[in-house]
Amino acid sequence: GYPVVVKPCSGGSSVGVSMPENREELTAAITNAAAYETALLAERRITGRELTVSILDGEVLPPVEIIPLSGFYDYENKYQAGLTTEICPAPLTDEESAALKAAALKGFAALRLRGYCRFDFILDGDGTPWCLEANTLPGMTPTSLLPRAAAAAGIGYDELCEKMILMAAKQ
């Protein structure tokens, strides 16, 4: 059924992602995504709040809520200033926060990750977190999502970078 999300499997920054509402749009979405990669993913679109949860050295950082002013969190909304509001820590109930934390830690363990990672979620109307993806090499500009979450936890950008380098040196 519709709507669906179509995206290249190995892409990043939402490049090639479309959210078709019908068969005609689906055909165009497949053509668009195939311009970037031959392996594609089509999945049911989950509606709700978009959040990201970072893990740093086994600790879950405060969640960030991502609210595009229009559309979805596509490439333009990610990288053009002023098109998206990011709230950290995200305004969540204790139950929502616990569910996101548990899901991120479970994904971290299941994927056998080390060091750091960022998980992107949709939190549906029932409070269920749906994992969209794991970002094992998340953006690291001072305004990127993982550094924003670290800052909310009291970890400055320079300290975060040093911590990541030291973790990598131990591997």
Side-chain angles (χ1 to χ4, degrees):
Y2 295 94
V4 298
V5 178
V6 176
K7 58 186 173 181
C9 286
S10 300
S13 297
S14 299
V15 173
V17 175
S18 300
M19 297 194 184
E21 300 279 338
N22 56 50
R23 187 169 183 79
E24 183 177 296
E25 291 177 7
L26 176 60
T27 300
I30 290 169
T31 300
N32 177 51
Y36 299 97
E37 180 181 359
T38 57
L40 307 179
L41 173 70
E43 59 189 354
R44 178 172 61 109
R45 181 178 177 187
I46 307 296
T47 58
R49 298 166 62 190
E50 186 159 0
L51 296 121
T52 188
V53 178
S54 298
I55 296 177
L56 178 66
D57 201 19
E59 297 297 319
V60 178
L61 300 177
V64 180
E65 184 166 7
I66 302 159
I67 308 168
L69 299 180
S70 66
F72 69 98
Y73 196 47
D74 63 3
Y75 186 87
E76 184 178 10
N77 282 327
K78 287 179 182 181
Y79 297 109
Q80 193 167 339
L83 296 183
T84 299
T85 300
E86 297 164 351
I87 304 169
C88 185
L92 298 165
T93 66
D94 290 343
E95 293 80 13
E96 291 167 338
S97 185
L100 284 164
K101 178 179 180 176
L105 287 170
K106 187 174 181 179
F108 196 82
L111 295 173
R112 298 179 182 170
L113 301 178
R114 298 181 308 226
Y116 60 92
C117 183
R118 198 189 80 229
F119 287 88
D120 297 337
F121 293 95
I122 296 291
L123 189 66
D124 72 15
D126 295 329
T128 301
W130 295 81
C131 185
L132 301 177
E133 62 187 9
N135 294 283
T136 57
L137 192 57
M140 280 300 297
T141 69
T143 58
S144 294
L145 298 168
L146 187 150
R148 180 177 291 250
I155 303 168
Y157 186 72
D158 291 346
E159 181 184 354
L160 172 64
C161 291
E162 182 176 358
K163 186 174 186 98
M164 293 170 84
I165 290 167
L166 292 173
M167 282 188 298
K170 290 180 187 176
Q171 302 294 328

